[in-house]
Structure formats: structure tokens, C-alpha cells
Amino acid sequence: MTIDKNYRDLVEKLTEISRLNGIMSTLSWDQEVMMPSGASEARARQISTLAGIIHERTTDPQLGTCLAAIQKEGFGSLNTLMACNIREAQRNFDLETKVPKRLAMEMAELSSSAHSVWIAARKENKFSSFSPVLKHFLELKKEWAQCVFPDLNPYDANIDNFERGTTMAEITPIFELLKKELIPFIRIIQESEHQPANSFLQGSFPIDKQEALARKISQDIGFEFNQGRMDVSVHPFCGGGHPTDVRITTRYDESNFIESLYAVIHETGHGLYEQGRMLQERDLPASESLTMGIHESQSLFWERMIGQSKFFCAHYFETIRTVFPQNLHGISADSFYQAINICKPDFIRVQADELTYPLHIILRYEIEKGLFDGSMNVDDLPEIWNEMMMQYLGIKPPTDTLGVLQDSHWSGGAFGYFPSYTLGAIYACQFYKTMQNELPDTEKNIEVGNFIPIKAWLNQKIHSQGRLYTPQELVQRITGEVLNPNHFISYLKKKYTAIYQLS
């Protein structure tokens, strides 16, 4: 066999796996958005069966034989995309073949059934109902880590699942620096004499108007609704089975339109990444998004760096005031900008401002570390959570629903995911700073609602690059330096010093 024949065989197998994963993603989206509640048990079995089929395909000995033959021939006649597909396929094959089918199916079924358990526990404010699931998932994820990365710390192995090549050794110093800089700065802000007004953001905001506004802004930014859709879910997310089928969700509160609007902008950022993937080979690994940190950088880029900027507010304020005239009567665009950027510690991570948000992530990161190294027990988590909230943000959640039960991640076994949010914020700030240097009219473009150059820059620099580079290589190529949290800290201090009129 020639390498061309082996590569064609490989592409055929990888394409089938990609399409099966697309079906899995669509089933998971349906479970959270449209599925009848009484179907949860049947759906769990369906997902478990499909996971078993996918595992069979990804561990097929013929796939291994094909890869071995290609490796033997060498990469000399392959282009960059082909080499990337082979490299990614080999890595995934090596990882998947180390996981017993029984374990893959058990994790998939638990992930599906645990979601319903989490929803019920959250609704009933009863962590004890969820704790057995969490314990079971920890056991399975430790077993998984031992299978795939026996030489790594189990938590590092789980982090690698979302942030390839990143470990606690890199994350911990960054997070310690953020704690050192942000905790005292937040306290100074809380003591400032100038506290922006935001009462006008509370009131009655009809959901149909919220939805229309959110859809308009998402479309203005560049989300293509002929290749995507927007729905409602308990927890906002971006899903779908293909770059031509991208599905974003939000949740609505009639008394607060800001939460749903910025959730849509956030998820639109994720959606633009998926829709902006390279046009060729979209069913192959080379075209896939890189890591969750890079993905999160795109959602935070649009939500924080652009959506919460004074230029974005200047452009959209009249539109927003037209939609909600009674609520925003007599309010200026600058007052609106300050109001949506108020720094106020909150119990809920997804409602946190960009200054306090990193502390929510650090709390979860440190708890996950403790769960994996045995220094923390699952049954003690409500108390541990509340103590850390007091230490970092000076507030104590009155219920588990507002505390340890608020996130869906652990119900899916997504340990090691949380650091991606703050790593993404650091990436976003670094990318934005570089874009401003390369596109000096960026702020003017935002103020007039011209997002085309921004989207094109992101498409070219990030979205279309797929997995051609590691995250470390990508950030170096784009910004000329490694991940640097000092840009993020400087950005936050400059912005909030102005808002709170600090000396």
C-alpha cells in the first residue's frame, strides 16, 4: 500500500468518527434544550450505546494498522493539513485504546443520568442528593487518568483533556498572582466613594423583546443563523454537530435583561469560532477547535473586551433604550457602560463581573485540586465552598443552589475545565491588545457597529488555524510572546480605576 492509499483509508475512518461525534453533540444539545423530562433514562442508555460505538471506532485495530503504515512510510509527501490529521489521529488513538470500553460507556451513561440528578438537587437545594454522583465521577476520572496518562498527576491528566500541555505547575503561579493583585483591588473598589448607579437595570423586561434584541446583536456581530440557532437552556452553552449547525443557548429573567444579553454575546463568540473553522476538511481533526482556553478566549473576547466596552455601549445604547424606553428613560450611554461594569461580588459565577470572575474560577480550581489529592472530601464541599467565598469575595452563599450546586460541569465529569475560563480571559486580553496594534481603527469600528474587520482578524488568526499549532505556539505566533497575565491585570486595573474614579 502507498501512503496515499493509507491516508485515504484514514480519512474515511476519521470522517465517520467525526460524524458520530456530531450526532452525540446533537443528542446532548437536545437533552438540555428540548427533550421531555421523562425521557432522561432512555436518553442515558442511547448516549451510552452511542459512546460504545464511538469507542469501538476510535480504538479499531484497523485504524491503528493504518496509522502504523503511514508512520512507517514517513511524512515526506504530506502537506501540513495531512500531517496534522495524522498527528491528531495518532494521539487520539493512543489515548482511546488505553480506556476500556466498559469505562467509556460507564462515564457516558453517568454523565447523562447525572445531569438530571444535578438539576433536581439544584432545584431542591440538596447537595447530599448529588454527592454520590460526584464521588462516583471522581472515581471514574481517576481511573481514566491512570489509564491514559499514568505518569501524570491525575488532576493534571484531567486538565490536559481541556488544556493540552498545561499543568498545575503553570496554572497555580498565574492564579496566585491574580489573587495577590485582584483581591485587594476589589476591596479598594468596594470602599470607593464613587459607586455607579445601576438600579435602572432592574425592572420588567419582556422576554420576547429580550430575545429579539439578543438575536439582533448576535447577528450584527456575525453569527450566521442559516447555519445556527438560538434557544433556551438551564445553563447557557454552545453546541451542535458541525460548523454548519451551531447551536447557542441562553436563559431569560424578566427582571434582568443584561444576563441573557451578555450570555448570548458570550455564546456567540463560541459560535463564531465554530462557524469560522477552516472551510476544507471540516470532518477531520485538523479543522477542529484547539483547546477550551482558546475557545473561551473567543467568547470572552466578544463579551468582555468588545461587548462591555464603552464603544460598544455607545453604539448600541439607543437601540437598547428604544427596546426598553421606560426603564432607561433619562439614562446616558456612559451611565449604562458604568452600570454593566459594576464590580460587586456575587454568588453566581455566570453573573460575576470580569474583576471578580477569576476568583470564582480559582475557588473551583483549588477545590478540584483538593478532591483529586485527597485533601478535601466531597461531603464537606458546601462548607469548604462557603469558607472560600468569604475569603476571596467576602460573601457567603445562603443556599447550596447559590453555592456548590450552581454549575453543571461536575455533573458531566468535566474536572479540569474551570481553569479554561480564566486562561481564556488572559488569552482574550492578549489577543485584543495585539489586534489593536494591527487594526488601529478597532475602537472606531466598534463605535459605528462595524464588526467585519474584527471577525475577519479572528477568523484568520485563530478560527481557521484549527489544530495546526499548539496553544503555546498559537499565542506566540499571534502576539509574539507566551501567555502573559500581566496584560490582563493591567487592563482590569486601568478600566476599573477609571470607572470608580480611583486616584
Side-chain angles (χ1 to χ4, degrees), residues 23 33 123 125 160 196 203 234 255 282 314 355 389 479 486 488 491:
I23 295 169
V33 176
K123 183 177 181 180
N125 184 38
D160 192 86
V234 174
S255 66
R282 282 184 155 186
L355 251 184
M389 284 290 288
T479 71
N486 288 308
F488 182 53
Y491 155 76

Side-chain angles (χ1 to χ4, degrees), residues 33 46 51 85 127 216 302 349 361 391 399-400 461 482 489 496:
V33 176
Q46 292 165 355
N85 284 325
F127 178 75
K216 170 183 166 46
W302 286 101
R349 173 182 63 85
I361 297 306
Q391 181 182 351
T399 65
D400 290 346
K461 300 285 186 176
V482 299
I489 293 168
Y496 284 88

